[in-house]
Amino acid sequence: MSEPDNQLSAEQSRQIAELIREEIARRRMSRQALAEQAKLSLSTLEKALGGRRPFTLATTVRLEQALGVALRKAPDSAPVAPLVNGDIAPDSLGAYSRRAVAWLEGTYITLRPSFGDKEAIYAYRTEIAWDAKATSLIFREGERQDAAYTQWGEVAVPNQSGFIYLVTNRNGQHRLITVSRPTISGEMYGIITTLLAGRGSLLTPIAAPIAFLPIKNVANPSVGRISSSDANYALYRQHLRRTTEEPFALFLPG
């Protein structure tokens, strides 16, 4: 039976800590530098090296990738090959492995209310895929009628909340989408929090329901501003209403 949270044994942790200390001394690098390269907090690294907490498999893999050496040994002392570089997302995004989130990858039709016409629905495509350079899932929007506002960014999948976060950060300006884990048929529902562009440079915070439908679930997807005359309008409206009717998200009155 595996250790809780993939924790390594006390003896394995002791051996790994010794190897890491040797590598740090040999390379004349600081623990802070190693923590940054491995995308770990300095506190996590210090506690593990000091024996105050065991190493986990995920932490060990990150340290192997940062140092370029195998820290784990098989019983016959043969080195165990580390995971392929880029298989673990940063702690700030949930420290998920690529294999654990493969089911999220794909192209979705994204729906939200139109900000310019209260009776219409705004629809566009969103692709979620693994990015080896970022070592995480990323998303990128496409086929937006307002192409100048096309967004892209990182995808956080923390275990604690059970929700998925699509985060855009451009020079400190954020847009956040919070959605549920996919239903059995793959849809995700939640809230988009962004800025509404008004006249001139006027910007106003705005929140609205949002839905992601796997593109394979829509026979002939429509994009752009969808009015009641569009063949997909009823389907799109049904999914947007599901966000608040089930509810996947709540909007409280002021």
Side-chain angles (χ1 to χ4, degrees), residues 94-113:
Y96 53 81
S97 69
R98 182 177 186 180
R99 183 180 299 178
V101 295
W103 43 273
L104 276 175
E105 295 188 69
T107 303
Y108 299 82
I109 295 296
T110 308
L111 311 173
R112 64 160 171 79

Side-chain angles (χ1 to χ4, degrees), residues 144-195:
R144 283 188 59 145
Q145 193 174 52
D146 53 349
Y149 295 97
T150 296
Q151 305 282 325
W152 64 93
E154 300 172 316
V155 181
V157 190
N159 287 323
Q160 291 89 339
S161 71
F163 281 82
I164 297 159
Y165 304 85
L166 283 69
V167 185
T168 299
N169 179 359
R170 296 290 172 268
N171 300 316
Q173 181 170 298
H174 287 67
R175 189 199 71 173
L176 176 64
I177 294 175
T178 305
V179 291
S180 64
R181 300 240 175 177
T183 65
I184 192 169
S185 50
E187 296 91 0
M188 298 184 287
Y189 302 92
I191 295 174
I192 177 173
T193 305
T194 187
L195 296 174

Side-chain angles (χ1 to χ4, degrees), residues 230-251:
D230 189 280
N232 286 314
Y233 182 81
L235 174 66
Y236 287 179
R237 177 65 68 188
Q238 175 186 347
H239 280 288
L240 271 184
R241 285 177 175 166
R242 187 178 180 187
T243 300
T244 54
E245 288 177 353
E246 293 216 6
F248 287 93
L250 297 174
F251 292 85

